[in-house]
Amino acid sequence: ETGVTQTPRHLVMGMTNKKSLKCEQHLGHNAMYWYKQSAKKPLELMFVYNFKEQTENNSVPSRFSPECPNSSHLFLHLHTLQPEDSALYLCASSQVEGATYEQYFGPGTRLTVT
Amino acid sequence: AQTVTQSQPEMSVQEAETVTLSCTYDTSESDYYLFWYKQPPSRQMILVIRQEAYKQQNATENRFSVNFQKAAKSFSLKISDSQLGDAAMYFCAYRSARGSEKLVFGKGTKLTVNP
């Protein structure tokens, strides 16, 4: 595996279900991010982790719970979601320090809440 | 707070022609980075080009170049010799050079390339 991978690629869940999204980066980066991409809206940053520590929570509802056990893995735990949470969830990674700062994205998980 | 505006929801171009995508941003900072990302249909978002605000020279990457106008807070992307594989959503993004690693994205421009 190379780059940033995400599983599952597609997920359909009911409002009472509990599920988790997984992200893994193989780039040796030390920062990881969760974004939400909805139709007709800009990408919304949800969470930022630097060296496994959460450094940003962009006013995300508590039904989304991130977990970063190490610099290579990032999870997004989902519970009691709402239909408006249906979206493409993108994971990204980057180096915190360095000359480039660009973020590398995974393919995303397409989430549908029924 | 910084904002990024892409005023063209959709654009189209003929294969082999040149197209320019617009992006403006609002910030009170003097040091920052600007990016153009490409997201093909059902595929991964990838970085197209990057510009450091302290550099006066416009960035270029093969057929992709930018017109960075710092005073006007404008950052347009020019695609020369357009190819069918250039069809995608294009997102302009801003990142402060200090503090947060947060990327602020525009809403995107959908580019169609006609054969």
Side-chain angles (χ1 to χ4, degrees), chain B residues 42-103:
Chain B
S42 301
R43 292 182 62 187
Q44 215 141 334
M45 185 162 345
I46 58 172
L47 178 70
V48 174
I49 200 165
R50 178 188 74 249
Q51 176 79 43
E52 292 88 343
Y54 64 84
K55 290 187 177 179
Q56 293 186 335
Q57 187 172 9
N58 289 325
T60 62
E61 286 288 340
N62 301 315
R63 298 182 295 106
F64 298 87
S65 62
V66 298
N67 183 3
F68 174 49
Q69 301 289 328
K70 191 172 184 180
K73 297 179 183 177
S74 172
F75 182 60
S76 61
L77 174 70
K78 185 171 83 171
I79 306 174
S80 304
D81 186 24
S82 297
Q83 301 176 359
L84 295 177
D86 295 333
M89 283 292 292
Y90 286 82
F91 294 94
C92 179
Y94 170 102
R95 184 199 185 283
S96 173
R98 293 180 180 79
S100 172
E101 300 83 13
K102 178 179 179 178
L103 276 178

Side-chain angles (χ1 to χ4, degrees), chain A residues 4 33 35 37 40 42-43 45 48 50 55-56 58 88 90 96 100-103 105-107, chain B residues 10 33 35 37 39 42-47 50 52 91 95 97 100-103 105-107:
Chain A
V4 181
Y33 313 79
Y35 287 90
Q37 186 176 26
K40 309 294 184 185
L43 272 79
L45 178 67
V48 180
N50 282 346
T55 57
E56 191 148 351
N58 209 27
L88 182 68
L90 296 172
V96 174
T100 58
Y101 298 110
E102 54 252 39
Q103 294 180 15
F105 286 82
Chain B
E10 297 187 26
Y33 301 89
F35 306 89
Y37 280 89
Q39 188 178 36
S42 301
R43 292 182 62 187
Q44 215 141 334
M45 185 162 345
I46 58 172
L47 178 70
R50 178 188 74 249
E52 292 88 343
F91 294 94
R95 184 199 185 283
S100 172
E101 300 83 13
K102 178 179 179 178
L103 276 178
F105 284 88
K107 289 187 177 181

